[in-house]
């Protein structure tokens, strides 16, 4: 959200700022969450930590989707950014 606001304040069109900011955060967020999700796979078969691993993996997947999809959509709705 800060990147979107920064680009808009620099004079970039709001739609372009929204798309560019979302694209610039895609790889870092995906890499961080995917490495942790993949790192939890060996723990799924463990009797003690299996449910914890599943909860962490599910939480990371949901939070990644929220960060990459829902936050930019909500930003566009709240600040009335329209594609002209």
């Amino acid at each position: 959200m800060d990147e979107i606001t920064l680009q808009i304040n620099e004079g970039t069109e709001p739609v372009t700022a929204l798309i560019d900011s979302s694209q610039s955060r895609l790889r870092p967020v995906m890499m961080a969450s995917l490495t942790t999700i993949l790192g939890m796979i060996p723990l799924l078969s463990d009797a003690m930590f299996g449910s914890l691993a599943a909860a962490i993996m599910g939480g990371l997947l949901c939070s990644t989707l929220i960060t990459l999809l829902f936050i930019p959509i909500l930003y566009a709705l709240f600040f009335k950014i329209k594609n002209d």
Side-chain angles (χ1 to χ4, degrees), residues 13-16 18 75-77 79-84:
E13 290 292 322
V15 174
T16 307
L18 184 67
Y75 189 95
L77 290 174
F79 292 99
K80 297 176 179 55
I81 297 174
K82 296 180 182 176
N83 191 7
D84 294 331

Side-chain angles (χ1 to χ4, degrees), residues 1 12 31 47 56 58 61 83:
M1 290 179 42
T12 308
M31 292 299 289
I56 290 172
L61 183 63
N83 191 7

Side-chain angles (χ1 to χ4, degrees), residues 3-74:
E3 180 70 24
I4 298 168
T5 306
L6 180 68
Q7 286 188 19
I8 289 173
N9 289 339
E10 289 177 353
T12 308
E13 290 292 322
V15 174
T16 307
L18 184 67
I19 292 170
D20 289 345
S21 298
S22 298
Q23 286 177 348
S24 71
R25 298 303 307 154
L26 178 69
R27 188 184 319 180
V29 170
M30 289 296 292
M31 292 299 289
S33 64
L34 283 178
T35 55
T36 307
I37 289 171
L38 294 175
M40 292 286 166
I41 290 175
L43 289 176
L44 287 174
S45 61
D46 190 287
M48 183 178 240
F49 296 113
S51 59
L52 177 66
I56 290 172
M57 291 169 71
L60 279 171
L61 183 63
C62 289
S63 65
T64 300
L65 293 176
I66 289 170
T67 301
L68 296 177
L69 296 176
F70 294 125
I71 297 298
I73 291 170
L74 290 176

